[in-house]
Amino acid sequence: MGRSVAILVARLIFAAVFAMAAFFKFAGLTETAAYISAAGFPFALLLAWLAALFELGLVLAFLTGAFFSEAALLAGAYVIFLAFAFHGPSHWQGNQAEFGFFVDHFTLLAGLLYAAVHGPGERLALRQGLIWNKEAASAR
């Protein structure tokens, strides 16, 4: 029972992190687009919309357990992209806190990789996905 509760709490934390990110993007799309543009990316408003929608999709995957491992891997790649694009070495000289933000992304990556390998758990999970289904079925 304790294992199931821990997994559900972890899923809720992952969902909450990306729900907050999506909420703030939707609430301030123009500000998010300006931030994206300042980092040197073209089509900033489109990218802001895509990021918010992607994060919303991650929330759904983490809450339902459907395509959980795939979502965790994609989220990991996304988080590391964000680390380098918005908090990478070029930002450290101007603000030492940026290094801390950069490193924090790697701790989230570690959790996401662990989650991707171990899956959404047995409780309250739509166990649908494209990867590792055969291994999970044979382990039971």
Side-chain angles (χ1 to χ4, degrees), residues 44-110:
L45 187 58
L46 173 64
L47 291 175
W49 271 100
L50 292 173
L53 292 171
F54 177 70
E55 290 167 350
L56 196 57
L58 292 175
V59 170
L60 293 173
F62 290 136
L63 289 178
T64 66
F67 300 97
F68 181 86
S69 293
E70 293 84 352
L73 289 173
L74 288 171
Y78 177 67
V79 163
I80 293 307
F81 164 76
L82 295 176
F84 280 97
F86 297 101
H87 306 289
S90 65
H91 297 87
W92 299 347
Q93 286 183 344
N95 182 355
Q96 193 60 32
E98 289 292 338
F99 178 73
F101 300 145
F102 178 77
V103 172
D104 284 346
H105 285 71
F106 286 87
T107 58
L108 182 54
L109 172 65

Side-chain angles (χ1 to χ4, degrees), residues 57 112 140:
L112 289 165
R140 290 182 200 167

